[in-house]
Amino acid sequence: MNYHGTTILAVRQNGKAAVGGDGQVTLKDTVVKHHARKVRRIYNDNIIVGFAGATADALDLSERLEQKLERYNGNLTRSAVELARDWRTDKYLRRLEALMIAVDKDSTYLISGNGDIIEPDEGVIAIGSGGIAAQAAATALVEFTDMDARGIVKACLLYTSPSPRDHSRYRVCRLLLEKGGGGGGGGG
């Protein structure tokens, strides 16, 4: 899979989680769109997903994850496992070219078509062509600053996205993880 031109970053810090992504869409080596929504809220705004890869494929997978969440009463872990299993074994789904990050009040997962479900050790995970740099920068900011999750995501996207000059257009969603419950809250 070729993820040229995409950066999606998830950070969990001090009881809060943020997921952000640039809006760049490319066809081969040409940027054709700068403001795509690669980060979305699903399941009554309690789950944030971000994706890299073919847009139609990623949207299909996002819809399928939401169906699993409905079936399993919002249990992201169970829904991610079921989606990854379907993705790996179904003839149609196996052809989809995308990676997804899914975040809820308790968990952060990278879900792939190979059947992988990866939960990061450090509370930081990224995908896309800018993902390696964004993850490295975010890990350093988590360890050596007092920045909140949203601030870390914004700073990392500013400096690691393929098109940093257009930093006013990235999208950062945030989950407030207060005691007693879930989503909503800030940022959009």
Side-chain angles (χ1 to χ4, degrees), residues 67-131:
Q67 290 169 359
K68 299 288 185 192
L69 288 162
E70 293 289 339
R71 181 173 181 189
Y72 297 111
N73 299 315
N75 183 326
L76 179 59
T77 302
R78 177 81 187 270
S79 299
V81 168
E82 294 298 322
L83 177 64
R85 181 173 39 172
D86 290 352
W87 195 351
R88 193 181 82 241
T89 58
D90 183 273
K91 279 184 181 180
Y92 167 74
L93 291 177
R94 273 195 311 240
R95 299 179 192 278
L96 300 182
E97 294 190 15
L99 288 173
M100 178 185 296
I101 291 176
V103 175
D104 73 358
K105 64 183 181 62
D106 299 314
S107 307
T108 301
Y109 295 113
L110 184 155
I111 308 167
S112 82
N114 296 329
D116 298 321
I117 303 169
I118 299 166
E119 186 171 22
D121 292 330
E122 307 291 324
V124 176
I125 196 153
I127 56 177
S129 62

Side-chain angles (χ1 to χ4, degrees), residues 8 19 37-42 47-51 58 61-63 65-66 69 76 100-103 111 173:
I8 304 294
V19 181
R37 282 188 62 209
K38 298 180 189 177
V39 176
R40 300 169 181 268
R41 291 177 180 273
I42 62 172
I47 310 285
I48 303 172
V49 295
F51 50 82
L61 290 167
S62 178
E63 288 174 10
L65 178 60
E66 192 156 22
L69 288 162
L76 179 59
M100 178 185 296
I101 291 176
V103 175
I111 308 167
C173 290

Side-chain angles (χ1 to χ4, degrees), residues 7-30:
T7 305
I8 304 294
L9 173 63
V11 174
R12 190 175 291 278
Q13 170 83 329
N14 298 327
K16 296 183 178 140
V19 181
D22 61 22
Q24 189 168 303
V25 176
T26 58
L27 287 174
K28 302 210 183 257
D29 293 330
T30 304

